[in-house]
Amino acid sequence: MSGTDFIVLGGGLVGSAIAYGLARRGKRVAVLDEGDVAHRASRGNFGLVWVQGKGLGMPEYADWARLSADVWPEFAAGMKERTGIDLNYRKPGGFQLCLSDEEMAERIAFIDRLREQQGAKGYDCEVVDRRRLDNLLPELGPEVVGGTYCPHDGHVNPLRLLKALHKALGGAYRPNSKVTAIRPAGGGFRIEAGQTVHEAPRIVLAAGLGNLPLADMLGFKLPVRPQRGQILVTERLPAFLDYPLSGVRQTEEGTVMLGSSREEVGYDNGTSPEVMRSIAANAVRVFPRLKHARIVRAWGALRILAPDEFPIYQTVPGHDGAHVATCHSGVSLAGAHALRFAGYLAEGRLPAHFTAFHSRRFDVPKAA
Amino acid sequence: MSAINSGEIDLAVVGAGPAGLAAATTAAELGLAVSVFDENATPGGQIYRGIEAVAAKRGADFAVLGDAYRAGESIVRDFRASKAAYAPNTGVWLVQKDRQLGIVRDGKAGMVAARRVLIATGAQERPVPIPGWTLPGVMLAGAAQGLLKSAGMVPAGPVVLAGNGPLLYQLAAQLVAAGVKIAALLETRSERAAALPHLPAALMAGNYLAKGLGLIAAVKRAGVPIRRGVTELRALGCERLEAVEVAAGGRTERIDAALLCLHQGVVANVQLSLAIPLKHEWSAAQRCWRPVVDQWGNSDVEGIAVAGDCAGIGGAEAAAHAGRIAAFEAARALGRIDAAARDTHAASDLAAWRRHLRARPFLDALYPPAQGLVVPADDVPVCRCEEVTAGQVRDAVRQGGTGPNQVKSFTRSGMGPCQGRMCALTVSEVIADALGKPVAEIGTYRIRPPIKPLTVGELAALE
């Protein structure tokens, strides 16, 4: 293992995208991953590459999400070229629909606030009324009053993305390597993973919820928590939907994914009939035709959320060679992680505006 | 969400085969409020499929289907006479650890709460992935037998039976009795030497051997050509099955066939118990997963028990005893009888259950699935829904896939409508083989609800 520049801890979408980006820049990397069963948000997510609605309260994140969407086409093309795997990335723009006038008014106000925040840069998200929606989306339910459209939104097959990243990493990807200890050693780090030991001057903690125990090994309390989302997927249907919606998308295979909920239930990644029912009910309100579609599977997966739900990028306090990357948008941000963030790491410094992503933002003194 | 049944349920039984029916009848006799949920239209499960119709209208078919089938008549009759509630045509698509059941019937989905749950979902056939097994005209032997039982349907054209195990001989005997011409019975290797040490115990278990030998004799008497120790089974054909190719005695033979019935034994149907999930273990002897249960059927989840073949293959007679045993335990757990009364009530069933199980080590050792069939060659499809081959599974392993769930993500195996029912075992076996590890370490798919067909509209209207 001598001669490794970076050890990336975590082989999900975040860790793999960063490692791929590092390898692309000629860095020697090793990715340590757990086995078949782990939290694995990378296997349970919805597959949107999404911009609209993100970053209110942190302009740097709104910019970062947009930048990722901008580089995604190049990223997807690179993956195809390197691995032969088509990620089924499509960027037709995406919709969020509203089922009542109140919802519509709230949505418009929300997007206006974002637009105001982004100022001169502008914010590409337009309000679309029901009449225009009817030209773009098929047989909408009567309750749909309108929605918002963002041309930078898209969707992808997230499982193909993970597979392609692992394929591109080749022998650098090491499964069944659950990390049991991280020890600073000789200016770098000594990582114990089961029976094997790995050493490198720099490490990247990018293990999703697995980052909590990893950061703990370096004496750092990472402020993130799990939040469950449930998803339903239908049998394959003839293609009917050209655009991804925030809670409905039709995959290349024809299956329709329905989501997505938010529950604070700790580490339970199961499902619950109440939430499944509400996801199904919403889907039928938007597209009544889905009533007859058979559900093949439902599942729960855990988002990785900071208190303000924005990413955390920083070094571990007291350990300059140990970087942390924690976010819940591993699909949307894969482009930026591979083509930009990995570059920052390779060059040895994060851009100045990345201080916004540091967890010290949560260290505000309690109001008296 | 309100329960569909207005009354309170002491014991919800999932499955109306011998274990579920015997459990329901016994529990109802003990004063428990019992509801049986079953996806079929009539009681009996796979083993006694259609038995009421045969008894009422097709009595002559008993001669074809045999005495083992007829044994189900009294189980079904007793159940019908009991106070147990019965919900046929009802899919159980979810069982939660808190003993809430998700059911669907006539396009309506609902939730039902029970104090105790007994899972009695029986057995399923082990998949037999050979080249060409997805061709029309190739089916598993149990499915062919099901058609014979429910509809009295007999195949036209030359029939070939291939594989091994008691059910294959039973089907052969039934087809012979129904006047069907069997072109060949192709038996994969049986392990007489390995089975021999288990023979004395099996002889004590009952008339399993006599029945088996009787079936084999009947098939031979009918002049069915039998090839033993065959390998390299292939189903040939373009649009549908045309012939079966097989190697035996150092040469390859081609046999014209319109129907090929494959069989490699039955395995525990663990789809529901995995979805809950209950704790499972790998049975090396039966080469399948089974939930970890005690002698009363109690699983690791409080209030959820498992009885019959879905807890490990023991056969229909053992299943009926296991169902009754689980019913006595349910009555104890719900405070109707004390432990001493349970032990007294259950004593004869426990003894009979253990006696029947003594036949299994012999049968399991005699008829192991053929290695070439549980670990097929690269070009053989293993997941029929998503058309994934064994070679694609091996590719995923080479790229770092360490187990069935990662392989599922990377290949789509197990993502289709059957949720891996038909490929889970094969995929785990192929991964284990590729990594040189025991299947027990490899694990199996995480099964998610709904495990029975449910539409978005039905779920949206869940009550």
Side-chain angles (χ1 to χ4, degrees):
Chain A
M1 185 57 85
S2 66
T4 304
D5 299 314
F6 284 88
I7 298 173
V8 178
L9 311 184
L13 288 175
V14 176
S16 300
I18 294 171
Y20 163 73
L22 288 168
R24 248 179 107 248
R25 285 170 178 78
K27 297 296 177 188
R28 291 160 299 181
V29 296
V31 178
L32 306 184
D33 198 9
E34 292 186 48
D36 194 48
V37 178
H39 294 306
R40 298 247 178 261
S42 297
R43 281 197 317 229
N45 65 74
F46 199 70
L48 296 177
V49 178
W50 212 245
V51 175
Q52 70 167 294
K54 284 183 176 174
L56 184 61
M58 191 194 273
E60 293 82 0
Y61 179 50
D63 294 343
W64 186 234
R66 169 65 194 277
L67 183 151
S68 196
D70 287 349
V71 300
W72 242 100
E74 177 194 344
F75 170 63
M79 293 306 306
K80 174 82 195 278
E81 195 183 309
R82 271 175 188 246
T83 66
I85 296 172
D86 183 343
L87 305 184
N88 294 150
Y89 173 58
R90 303 285 177 266
K91 195 181 184 179
F95 291 90
Q96 177 155 337
L97 301 186
C98 299
L99 290 163
S100 68
D101 291 333
E102 298 76 51
E103 228 179 89
M104 193 71 227
E106 271 173 36
R107 182 70 184 164
I108 292 171
F110 178 79
I111 296 296
D112 281 348
R113 288 208 298 280
L114 255 171
R115 184 170 289 123
E116 200 174 311
Q117 172 187 292
Q118 295 306 100
K121 288 175 285 192
Y123 196 76
D124 266 347
C125 188
E126 57 176 313
V127 176
V128 185
D129 65 16
R130 171 66 198 241
R131 224 169 33 159
R132 272 184 63 209
L133 281 181
D134 280 329
N135 294 326
L136 300 166
L137 299 171
E139 295 167 49
L140 287 165
E143 290 172 273
V144 177
V145 296
T148 52
Y149 171 81
C150 170
H152 308 293
D153 291 337
H155 59 150
V156 68
N157 181 329
L159 299 177
R160 287 202 184 185
L161 171 58
L162 186 62
K163 178 183 177 178
L165 286 168
H166 285 184
K167 186 169 182 185
L169 287 167
Y173 174 74
R174 291 151 201 256
N176 294 325
S177 304
K178 188 182 167 80
V179 173
T180 47
I182 307 174
R183 305 183 200 286
F189 297 88
R190 219 178 123 80
I191 312 270
E192 292 168 24
Q195 301 300 309
T196 60
V197 175
H198 311 264
E199 282 181 353
R202 297 170 73 189
I203 62 175
V204 186
L205 277 58
L209 291 168
N211 266 0
L212 282 165
L214 292 175
D216 210 40
M217 292 175 196
L218 292 170
F220 177 44
K221 297 274 174 242
L222 192 62
V224 294
R225 69 174 199 280
Q227 181 192 63
R228 184 166 78 182
Q230 295 186 38
I231 294 176
L232 311 177
V233 65
T234 71
E235 63 189 324
R236 295 179 190 220
L237 304 175
F240 77 96
L241 186 56
D242 297 331
Y243 298 88
L245 275 54
S246 50
V248 184
R249 74 179 192 95
Q250 186 169 30
T251 68
E252 205 78 3
E253 289 82 20
T255 62
V256 180
M257 295 180 71
L258 308 174
S260 52
S261 55
R262 290 168 166 264
E263 297 168 276
E264 305 294 333
V265 290
Y267 284 86
D268 175 2
N269 69 356
T271 55
S272 66
E274 297 82 7
V275 172
M276 288 169 63
R277 186 197 57 75
S278 97
I279 291 171
N282 266 315
V284 170
R285 288 168 77 191
V286 174
F287 294 116
R289 63 161 68 207
L290 288 176
K291 215 171 0 187
H292 308 290
R294 185 176 150 186
I295 302 162
V296 171
R297 193 165 59 254
W299 68 89
L302 302 176
R303 297 186 186 89
I304 300 101
L305 287 188
D308 59 6
E309 309 195 355
F310 300 131
I312 294 172
Y313 303 109
Q314 65 175 96
T315 55
V316 175
H319 298 282
D320 286 348
H323 306 269
V324 176
T326 284
C327 68
H328 87 82
S329 299
V331 178
S332 291
L333 296 178
H337 285 155
L339 302 190
R340 292 293 185 275
F341 187 74
Y344 307 151
L345 292 181
E347 289 155 17
R349 51 192 291 261
L350 298 182
H353 69 270
F354 260 57
T355 51
F357 293 115
H358 198 287
S359 67
R360 74 169 71 93
R361 68 183 188 264
F362 304 114
D363 298 342
V364 268
K366 294 240 168 36
Chain B
M1 254 165 280
S2 63
I4 268 187
N5 294 28
S6 49
E8 294 201 340
I9 300 175
D10 290 324
L11 178 65
V13 178
V14 184
L21 296 178
T25 305
T26 304
E29 278 168 9
L30 291 164
L32 271 55
V34 183
S35 281
V36 177
F37 302 94
D38 188 64
E39 61 186 328
N40 296 301
T42 56
Q46 299 290 347
I47 189 86
Y48 304 133
R49 177 174 290 280
I51 193 154
E52 288 176 319
V54 171
K57 296 179 203 132
R58 290 161 43 208
D61 283 1
F62 275 132
V64 169
L65 295 165
D67 291 340
Y69 177 70
R70 188 159 204 167
E73 231 189 321
S74 64
I75 290 178
V76 171
R77 199 171 45 225
D78 292 347
F79 169 69
R80 288 287 196 189
S82 79
K83 290 203 173 86
Y86 173 49
N89 298 314
T90 303
V92 175
W93 53 272
L94 170 75
V95 172
Q96 301 201 122
K97 285 188 174 180
D98 64 1
R99 302 180 305 283
Q100 298 256 339
L101 283 73
I103 62 173
V104 59
R105 181 184 191 179
D106 296 334
K108 276 187 70 93
M111 296 298 294
V112 170
R115 294 204 175 88
R116 253 184 104 77
V117 175
L118 179 67
I119 294 170
T121 51
Q124 67 163 81
E125 283 185 90
R126 184 190 302 280
V128 190
I130 62 167
W133 75 307
T134 53
L135 283 172
V138 182
M139 65 199 302
L140 292 175
Q145 196 179 39
L147 291 174
L148 198 62
K149 287 173 187 170
S150 61
M153 274 175 66
V154 288
V159 180
V160 173
L161 276 53
N164 71 21
L167 191 143
L168 197 68
Y169 280 103
Q170 191 185 44
L171 175 63
Q174 288 166 339
L175 290 174
V176 164
V180 174
K181 181 155 175 56
I182 299 176
L185 193 159
L186 309 172
E187 197 193 44
T188 54
R189 208 164 118 88
S190 51
E191 300 288 344
R192 292 174 188 210
L196 204 57
H198 303 292
L199 182 59
L203 288 169
M204 306 289 286
N207 57 349
Y208 285 92
L209 296 186
K211 272 197 289 189
L213 291 170
L215 292 173
I216 293 171
V219 173
K220 279 187 176 162
R221 241 187 346 263
V224 174
I226 300 178
R227 308 264 185 288
R228 294 193 196 278
V230 305
T231 56
E232 288 162 61
L233 263 171
R234 305 178 80 87
L236 306 175
C238 294
E239 300 288 304
R240 55 168 294 116
L241 178 74
E242 288 161 22
V244 178
E245 195 183 85
V246 70
R251 62 189 197 90
T252 300
E253 190 178 354
R254 191 192 140 105
I255 304 159
D256 287 341
L259 177 68
L260 169 62
C261 299
L262 294 167
H263 187 68
Q264 284 277 283
V266 294
V267 295
N269 175 2
V270 290
Q271 208 76 349
L272 180 53
S273 53
L274 282 173
I276 295 175
L278 306 182
K279 188 176 178 209
H280 284 66
E281 65 187 359
W282 177 253
S283 164
Q286 299 192 337
R287 237 171 148 156
C288 68
W289 299 97
R290 65 176 177 213
V292 177
V293 293
D294 65 15
Q295 65 171 344
W296 305 104
N298 294 311
S299 73
D300 65 315
V301 174
E302 180 68 33
I304 301 184
V306 190
D309 275 358
C310 57
I313 301 303
E317 289 161 285
H321 292 296
R324 277 191 282 274
I325 293 164
F328 293 126
E329 168 63 359
R332 184 209 61 80
L334 296 172
R336 297 301 166 99
I337 58 176
D338 61 19
R342 174 201 63 187
D343 293 351
T344 310
H345 280 302
S348 65
D349 282 302
L350 274 167
W353 176 62
R354 292 199 182 101
R355 181 164 53 76
H356 282 294
L357 290 186
R358 273 185 224 128
R360 298 325 297 187
F362 174 75
L363 293 170
D364 293 339
L366 181 63
Y367 296 122
Q371 183 66 17
L373 296 183
V374 289
V375 184
D378 276 352
D379 58 341
V380 179
V382 294
C383 168
R384 302 172 67 120
C385 301
E386 297 290 328
E387 298 175 1
V388 180
T389 65
Q392 286 170 290
V393 171
R394 291 189 180 97
D395 276 346
V397 171
R398 272 191 287 275
Q399 276 175 37
T402 57
N405 293 292
Q406 198 79 340
V407 166
K408 173 179 169 181
S409 290
F410 288 174
T411 62
R412 295 190 61 82
S413 68
M415 280 196 190
C418 93
Q419 271 229 49
R421 236 173 69 85
M422 285 296 282
C423 67
L425 276 174
T426 314
V427 166
S428 289
E429 291 266 13
V430 169
I431 296 170
D433 178 66
L435 293 173
K437 289 183 177 176
V439 183
E441 270 179 43
I442 296 301
T444 186
Y445 295 141
R446 169 111 186 240
I447 304 300
R448 296 284 200 165
I451 65 154
K452 290 292 167 188
L454 181 72
T455 66
V456 177
E458 287 164 350
L459 179 57
L462 181 69
E463 287 176 355

